C-alpha cells in the first residue's frame, strides 16, 4: 500500500513538472516575438554614441566620425506592443535620437546622420547604374552662414571658349539638408573638339542661388572661380553613386570647399 501511494505521488509530481515545461516552451515558441532592428547611418561627431532599446544596451556603441550599420534582435513579450529606441552621447548623456518602435513593424530600419549637434535622416544611395552618375549633396555654409536655398548645377566646363554646359540640376535645396539624387550620363573629360576648336573639359558642380545661374557667393566677401570653386564630385567617365557632405573652406578671397563625408 505504501508503495502504491509513493508511486502515485511520484507520478503526480512528474506530470506537474512536464506540464510546467510544456507551458514554458509554448510561451517561448508561440508568445514571444523576435524582431530585427537595423541601425544605419553616419556619426560625424567626435562623440561615441550609446544605443538603448528601453533599458537594454546595444553591444557595440557607434564610433566617432564613422559610418555604422549594425543589426540586433529584440524579443517583444506577449503584453508588450512598443519600445523606445534611444541614442545618446556617451560622455555628456545628450539625447541624439529617440524613436518609438512598434511591434507591428516588421524588419525595423532606423537611418540617421549625426553632425554638428544636429540629427537628420540619412538618405540611401541609389544603386550604381551603367552609363550614369548619381549624386546626393549636403552643403554646409560654415563660413558665409548663407541661409537661402541653392541649386546644385552639374555640368561640363570647356576651357575654350570658357563655356559651362549644364547637364543636370537639383533645385531649391536648403543648407544642411540633403538634395534629392541627381542623375546624369557619364562623359569623357579627355581633350576634345568644341565648335571646331580642341579644348580641355572639366567636370564642375556649381552652387547657385535658387532658380538662377548666379553663384551663391554673389554679394559675399568671396568670389567664384569657374574651375576650382566646385562641389566634390566623382570621376566623370566611371558609373558611380555618391553621397557628399561638404563645407566652405575659402582660400583667400576665393571660395573653395572641404569634403566632410565621401560615401
Amino acid at each position: 500500500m505504501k508503495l502504491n501511494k509513493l508511486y502515485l505521488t511520484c507520478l503526480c509530481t512528474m506530470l506537474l513538472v512536464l506540464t510546467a515545461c510544456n507551458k514554458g516552451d509554448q510561451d517561448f515558441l508561440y508568445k514571444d516575438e523576435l524582431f530585427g532592428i537595423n541601425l544605419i547611418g553616419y556619426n560625424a561627431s567626435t562623440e561615441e554614441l550609446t544605443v538603448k532599446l528601453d533599458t537594454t544596451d546595444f553591444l557595440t556603441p557607434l564610433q566617432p566620425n564613422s559610418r555604422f550599420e549594425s543589426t540586433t534582435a529584440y524579443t517583444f513579450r506577449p503584453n508588450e506592443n512598443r519600445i523606445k529606441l534611444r541614442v545618446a552621447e556617451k560622455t555628456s548623456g545628450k539625447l541624439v535620437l529617440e524613436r518609438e518602435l512598434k511591434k507591428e513593424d516588421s524588419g525595423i530600419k532606423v537611418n540617421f546622420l549625426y553632425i554638428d549637434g544636429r540629427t537628420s535622416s540619412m538618405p540611401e544611395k541609389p544603386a550604381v547604374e551603367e552609363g550614369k552618375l548619381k549624386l546626393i549633396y549636403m552643403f554646409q555654409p560654415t563660413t558665409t552662414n548663407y541661409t537661402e536655398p541653392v541649386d546644385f548645377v552639374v555640368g561640363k566646363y570647356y576651357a575654350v571658349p570658357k563655356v559651362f554646359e549644364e547637364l543636370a540640376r537639383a533645385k531649391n535645396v536648403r543648407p544642411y539638408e540633403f538634395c534629392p539624387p541627381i542623375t546624369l550620363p557619364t562623359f569623357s573629360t579627355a581633350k576634345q573638339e568644341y565648335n571646331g576648336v580642341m579644348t580641355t573639359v572639366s567636370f564642375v558642380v556649381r552652387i547657385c542661388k535658387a532658380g538662377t545661374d548666379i553663384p551663391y557667393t554673389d554679394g559675399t566677401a568671396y568670389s567664384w572661380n569657374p574651375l576650382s570653386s566646385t562641389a566634390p564630385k566623382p570621376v566623370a567617365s566611371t558609373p558611380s553613386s555618391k553621397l557628399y557632405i561638404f563645407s566652405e573652406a575659402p582660400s583667400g578671397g576665393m571660395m573653395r570647399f572641404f569634403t566632410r563625408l565621401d560615401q
Side-chain angles (χ1 to χ4, degrees), residues 13 52 61-62 77 111 115 132 161 209 227:
T13 302
K52 284 182 178 289
L62 308 181
R77 303 300 175 185
N111 204 331
I115 186 168
K132 293 185 179 179
K209 295 183 178 183
L227 285 176

Side-chain angles (χ1 to χ4, degrees), residues 215 217-218 220-226 228-229 250-256:
T217 52
D218 186 61
T220 72
Y222 302 98
S223 57
W224 187 273
N225 184 283
S228 61
S229 299
S251 177
M254 192 70 64
M255 182 53 71
R256 294 190 180 177

Side-chain angles (χ1 to χ4, degrees), residues 35-55:
F35 283 77
I37 299 168
N38 192 213
L39 206 60
I40 303 172
Y42 194 86
N43 176 15
S45 75
T46 57
E47 298 288 334
E48 187 174 84
L49 305 180
T50 59
V51 185
K52 284 182 178 289
L53 289 170
D54 278 347
T55 57

Side-chain angles (χ1 to χ4, degrees), residues 2-70:
K2 288 182 180 180
L3 288 174
N4 287 339
K5 287 182 179 179
L6 182 61
Y7 173 77
L8 288 171
T9 302
C10 291
L11 183 61
C12 289
T13 302
M14 289 175 65
L15 287 171
L16 286 171
V17 170
L18 287 171
T19 301
C21 288
N22 287 336
K23 184 179 184 299
D25 288 344
Q26 287 174 355
D27 285 344
F28 178 76
L29 292 172
Y30 302 112
K31 293 184 178 179
D32 293 350
E33 296 186 47
L34 195 65
F35 283 77
I37 299 168
N38 192 213
L39 206 60
I40 303 172
Y42 194 86
N43 176 15
S45 75
T46 57
E47 298 288 334
E48 187 174 84
L49 305 180
T50 59
V51 185
K52 284 182 178 289
L53 289 170
D54 278 347
T55 57
T56 304
D57 289 327
F58 262 49
L59 294 178
T60 307
L62 308 181
Q63 298 304 309
N65 295 304
S66 299
R67 184 180 182 277
F68 54 84
E69 183 169 358
S70 57

